[in-house]
Amino acid sequence: MTDEPGSGGDKARLILPQLQLDDLLAELQTRLEAARSTRDRVHALLEAVVSIGGELDLETVLRRITEAATTLVDARYGALGVIDEGGERLVQFVTAGVSDEEIAAIGHWPHGHGILGLLIKDPRPLRLADLTEHAESYGFPAHHPPMRTFLGVPLRVRDEVFGNLYLTEKAGGGAFEEEDEVVVTALATAAGVAIENARLYQEARRRERWLEASAEVSTRLLSGTDTHQVTSLVAERARQVSDAGLATVALIDEAGGEFLVEAADGSDAGLVRGIRLSRGHSIAGKVFEEGASLRLADGAEAVREAGMPVEVEIGPLLMVPLGVGSSARGVLTVVNAPGEPAFSERTQRLLEAFAGQAAVALELAERRRDAERLTLLEDRDRIAKDLHDTVIQRLFATAMTLMAAIKMTQKREVAVRVQRAVDDLDDTIRQIRSSIFALQATGDEESLRSRVRALVDSAAEQLGFSPSVRLDGLLDTAVDDDTGEQLLAVVREALSNVARHAQAGQAVVAIDVGDEVTLRVEDDGVGIGEGGRRSGLRNMSERAEACGGSFSTRRRPGGGTILVWRVPLKDG
């Protein structure tokens, strides 16, 4: 039997080519969509490469890489973990898709254990349909978002594994495909170049900042700026250029055998400034003695042993010697809070160079101050000699001439005036001698001479007037410390008595140092009353007896009191 035209057989033959054509068109449509998807993905990859390649700030580069990888493979969560220099743990973790509130609830970022640590130990791409079923999985901490699908790709900078890209939860619930791995691997290759460029730029900028800081410190020191202000500047610049939370400058106190924190900058600076740190059996002492830097991922326990306050939060720590050998001055320390990134070897080298230059500048500034002090003392000595050899001798000769003239004059009025002139010359000679002794003193603000003057000045407010002061002799060099303290106490007691009881309008404090120390205090008040309290006088008398001396009081001609306190000088 044959099919007639228009029968069902002809219709079947017509439908079959139509179905094949539809299949071909559908397949073509699928391939076109795949090509379009590939084109779009390549275009997105190129945009991501351009985006990260045009940025030089390292933190921004890392964040853009993380966000670009998350977008390219339609992942809900992404992260970039930076590996430490030892290649053992994560020191930085940049996330995408996780809110600040979720990060705060989770707590500290991962250290690099479990699946994340697997990529650190074996830096090759890793795709998992369910990461919770892997043997290396440690599970998630509390408040961590649920994650199952996983794609991890290492980030290489030249031959060094800089970190890893971690991507989880692909959109639609499917697993990451080989094409996703290829795209992220390509991104990671381009990212390595961008990271290297950003690191080189960051390194150059940091070196520039170190050089500027070193020049600023040296200029400040050599221009005569106070040393304490410069150490404060050292701490401030060290913290800024090392991106630390706290920086301290601890200088060695040879007398006490401890370190004194002269300057601090940053968080908790007020807690540590001015404290003393142990030198023996401490990291500060070890760094100082050995002249070698110390870098710790967690320096809390070590710093506590040195005497740092418990309230200070200590995490990563970097401590470098402030100078080496005989020029060593102390230690420079930078600290980060717990959980912050550890200091790199690059930062250590830069901080060492900065500390070395700061130590040299401190040494040069000290030598300059010594030279200036020596010049000042030589100048004072010259002035003192000129006053002694020229001025005093001429005044003395004039006084002798006037004394001879008194004997020759016949009129009493003339004799009185000449005698008054002789007395004035004697007083002038004593004042010049006092000035000579002051010039020959060391210039120390805490000298006995300056303390006596400060004590007399401070009594002026209580007295209602300023007492006259005359200081003769080697007060700063011949009087020992114990006698000096007793002398100050007696001056204070005597002026207090004048202020409380004498009703005086004038007072004179005179101290002469020869074979003994003689204190004479005069006032023009009402004198010592009968039957009054004498505890102050008794105290002064007991102090004189304790030093092997004597104490006496008498009425002053014209009204008032003369107090004389006399003690011998100690040998040596």
Side-chain angles (χ1 to χ4, degrees):
M1 181 181 293
T2 60
D3 292 333
E4 296 180 359
S7 66
D10 292 335
K11 291 180 179 180
R13 283 192 293 273
L14 290 173
I15 292 172
L16 183 60
Q18 182 67 36
L19 290 174
Q20 292 175 345
L21 180 60
D22 289 343
D23 291 341
L24 289 173
L25 288 174
E27 182 179 355
L28 178 60
Q29 181 69 24
T30 301
R31 292 187 178 185
L32 286 173
E33 290 178 355
R36 188 180 299 111
S37 175
T38 301
R39 183 199 64 189
D40 292 342
R41 178 168 282 192
V42 171
H43 183 68
L45 176 61
L46 290 175
E47 285 185 343
V49 170
V50 172
S51 174
I52 63 178
E55 183 61 54
L56 290 175
D57 178 70
L58 183 58
E59 296 298 322
T60 305
V61 169
L62 298 181
R63 182 159 300 282
R64 287 188 179 180
I65 292 171
T66 308
E67 293 171 348
T70 304
T71 302
L72 284 172
V73 298
D74 292 329
R76 182 176 180 182
Y77 304 112
L80 191 159
V82 180
I83 305 174
D84 67 356
E85 294 179 347
E88 299 178 352
R89 60 194 296 271
L90 299 177
V91 294
Q92 190 176 357
F93 206 68
V94 181
T95 61
V98 184
S99 67
D100 294 338
E101 291 76 13
E102 289 175 314
I103 294 174
I106 295 171
H108 194 277
W109 66 60
H111 292 289
H113 303 300
I115 298 297
L116 304 188
L118 183 61
L119 263 75
I120 296 176
K121 294 181 288 186
D122 185 12
R124 291 183 297 175
L126 177 65
R127 280 187 291 127
L128 298 174
D130 188 350
L131 62 87
T132 61
E133 296 180 357
H134 195 279
E136 294 286 338
S137 177
Y138 278 22
F140 299 107
H143 309 293
H144 196 287
M147 297 180 181
R148 300 182 66 84
T149 56
F150 176 84
L151 171 60
V153 175
L155 266 172
R156 297 181 184 272
V157 176
R158 296 187 180 180
D159 297 330
E160 167 195 356
V161 178
F162 175 81
N164 294 307
L165 275 169
Y166 307 110
L167 304 161
T168 61
E169 292 299 288
K170 185 174 177 65
F176 290 102
E177 301 174 353
E178 183 178 357
E179 186 177 349
D180 296 322
E181 179 182 322
V182 171
V183 170
V184 176
T185 301
L187 176 66
T189 302
V193 177
I195 291 172
E196 177 67 4
N197 290 338
R199 286 171 65 179
L200 291 174
Y201 177 76
Q202 186 182 60
E203 185 76 9
R205 287 289 301 154
R206 181 170 288 183
R207 286 184 180 277
E208 183 181 347
R209 290 163 64 191
W210 280 117
L211 291 174
E212 290 175 353
S214 298
E216 184 178 10
V217 169
S218 300
T219 301
R220 290 282 189 91
L221 278 171
L222 298 179
S223 64
T225 304
D226 179 69
T227 303
H228 179 70
Q229 294 181 16
V230 177
T231 53
S232 299
L233 179 65
V234 170
E236 179 184 351
R237 294 293 180 262
R239 184 192 65 79
Q240 291 174 349
V241 295
S242 60
D243 296 324
L246 173 67
T248 65
V249 177
L251 301 183
I252 189 67
D253 181 3
E254 295 293 351
E258 296 177 313
F259 293 98
L260 174 64
V261 179
E262 290 279 355
D265 185 76
S267 59
D268 298 324
L271 294 176
V272 300
R273 190 182 296 113
I275 69 170
R276 292 187 176 274
L277 304 178
S278 171
R279 177 176 177 179
H281 308 293
S282 69
I283 58 171
K286 181 180 179 181
V287 169
F288 179 78
E289 297 292 343
E290 298 180 359
S293 302
L294 180 66
R295 185 158 47 100
L296 299 174
D298 185 2
E301 183 177 353
V303 172
R304 298 284 184 269
E305 292 177 357
M308 192 74 81
V310 177
E311 297 84 356
V312 179
E313 294 186 350
I314 303 295
L317 174 144
L318 173 58
M319 184 177 290
V320 302
L322 198 60
V324 293
S326 60
S327 63
R329 307 296 298 268
V331 292
L332 173 60
T333 307
V334 289
V335 176
N336 270 333
E340 292 294 320
F343 297 103
S344 65
E345 186 177 349
R346 293 185 181 90
T347 300
Q348 177 179 328
R349 291 197 299 268
L350 290 171
L351 190 63
E352 287 172 344
F354 176 68
Q357 289 182 314
V360 171
L362 285 169
E363 184 75 14
L364 290 175
E366 186 173 328
R367 295 293 176 265
R368 180 184 58 78
R369 284 192 297 272
D370 288 343
E372 290 177 351
R373 191 177 297 114
L374 180 60
T375 301
L376 177 62
L377 292 175
E378 290 175 347
D379 202 30
R380 285 182 173 185
D381 190 53
R382 178 185 58 79
I383 294 172
K385 287 181 179 179
D386 289 344
L387 287 172
H388 182 270
D389 296 341
T390 305
V391 179
I392 288 183
Q393 289 184 7
R394 289 185 178 180
L395 290 174
F396 186 74
T398 303
M400 293 298 292
T401 302
L402 291 174
M403 289 293 292
I406 292 176
K407 299 177 181 179
M408 297 171 58
T409 184
Q410 300 297 321
K411 294 184 179 181
R412 176 173 175 77
E413 293 180 1
V414 175
V416 170
R417 291 186 181 183
V418 173
Q419 183 63 52
R420 189 178 302 154
V422 171
D423 292 340
D424 290 342
L425 288 172
D426 287 341
D427 188 57
T428 302
I429 290 172
R430 283 194 296 269
Q431 291 181 10
I432 292 176
R433 281 178 175 168
S434 179
S435 298
I436 291 172
F437 289 130
L439 286 171
Q440 292 174 334
T442 60
D444 185 359
E445 293 183 358
E446 292 300 316
S447 66
L448 182 56
R449 185 181 298 271
S450 64
R451 294 174 68 186
V452 169
R453 291 189 179 277
L455 181 59
V456 174
D457 290 342
S458 65
E461 182 176 355
Q462 188 180 9
L463 290 166
F465 57 87
S466 296
S468 299
V469 183
R470 192 187 76 240
L471 307 175
D472 289 339
L474 300 175
L475 190 61
D476 295 322
T477 56
V479 180
D480 63 277
D481 293 340
D482 292 339
T483 304
E485 292 298 329
Q486 297 286 359
L487 175 65
L488 291 170
V490 173
V491 172
R492 186 182 298 108
E493 185 74 38
L495 292 177
S496 177
N497 284 346
V498 172
R500 287 182 296 174
H501 309 299
Q503 302 177 25
Q506 291 182 346
V508 178
V509 177
I511 300 176
D512 293 306
V513 179
D515 295 333
E516 58 185 6
V517 181
T518 302
L519 167 66
R520 181 186 177 98
V521 180
E522 298 184 24
D523 67 78
D524 63 352
V526 298
I528 300 175
E530 297 294 334
R533 295 182 58 187
R534 296 177 177 268
S535 58
L537 299 177
R538 184 170 60 253
N539 289 338
M540 289 184 274
S541 178
E542 290 174 354
R543 289 182 184 278
E545 292 173 2
C547 296
S550 62
F551 172 73
S552 64
T553 61
R554 67 176 184 268
R555 288 189 176 275
R556 175 178 174 270
T561 304
I562 298 177
L563 177 153
V564 180
W565 188 85
R566 202 179 266 115
V567 297
L569 292 175
K570 293 183 179 180
D571 294 335

